[in-house]
Amino acid sequence: MGYRRLLKDYISHVEAIVGVDLIDIAALTNALNKRDIGELRTVTAELKRESFMHGLSTDHNHTIKRLLDEGKLTYPDLKHLTGIEPASDPDDELTDERLERMIEVILSAQDNNK
């Protein structure tokens, strides 16, 4: 994996977890020089363009974060949610609603096994 792809993946992860990419905070606190901030803003602009070009994202971190915020999911529950992969066929897309149903089924199965 190239560094640019790694940086894009990390920025996407931070934004999914925190809700913002934190680049503006880095700029306000002078954590990085202006050139580096400019480069990071360029990378985030590329990410936004890519998301528009590819339609809906198959990254469902926003759904997981919402379920955590709503109390429908807890951090200890996350260890039971491994192995959910996005569909390779666009006609069989994993929608947010399907993901939520899958999570409910997995967690209820875990509760029944206790």
Side-chain angles (χ1 to χ4, degrees):
M1 174 184 292
Y3 281 107
R4 194 163 192 86
R5 181 75 255 159
L6 176 64
L7 186 57
K8 285 181 181 182
D9 288 349
Y10 183 73
I11 290 171
S12 295
H13 172 73
V14 168
E15 189 166 9
I17 298 296
V18 180
V20 294
D21 57 33
L22 300 178
I23 294 170
D24 288 331
I25 292 173
L28 290 172
T29 59
N30 295 320
L32 301 168
N33 64 44
K34 289 183 181 188
R35 182 177 178 189
D36 292 342
I37 294 293
E39 183 65 25
L40 289 173
R41 286 185 173 145
T42 300
V43 170
T44 58
E46 286 176 21
L47 281 170
K48 288 183 175 121
R49 269 194 310 276
E50 288 171 5
S51 69
F52 287 121
M53 288 175 17
H54 294 107
L56 292 175
S57 171
T58 57
D59 181 7
H60 295 285
N61 287 332
H62 62 280
T63 301
I64 299 297
K65 183 176 182 326
R66 183 176 49 76
L67 292 172
L68 286 166
D69 290 345
E70 293 173 358
K72 295 179 181 176
L73 181 65
T74 64
Y75 285 101
D77 291 333
L78 292 176
K79 68 181 177 184
H80 301 292
L81 300 180
T82 60
I84 299 174
E85 298 292 333
S88 57
D89 182 4
D91 294 332
D92 200 23
E93 180 183 340
L94 180 60
T95 63
D96 288 341
E97 292 79 19
R98 286 183 63 198
L99 176 64
E100 285 187 50
R101 284 196 304 268
M102 289 171 71
I103 291 170
E104 289 172 8
V105 169
I106 291 167
L107 294 178
S108 66
Q110 290 298 320
D111 289 340
N112 292 336
N113 290 333
K114 289 182 181 176

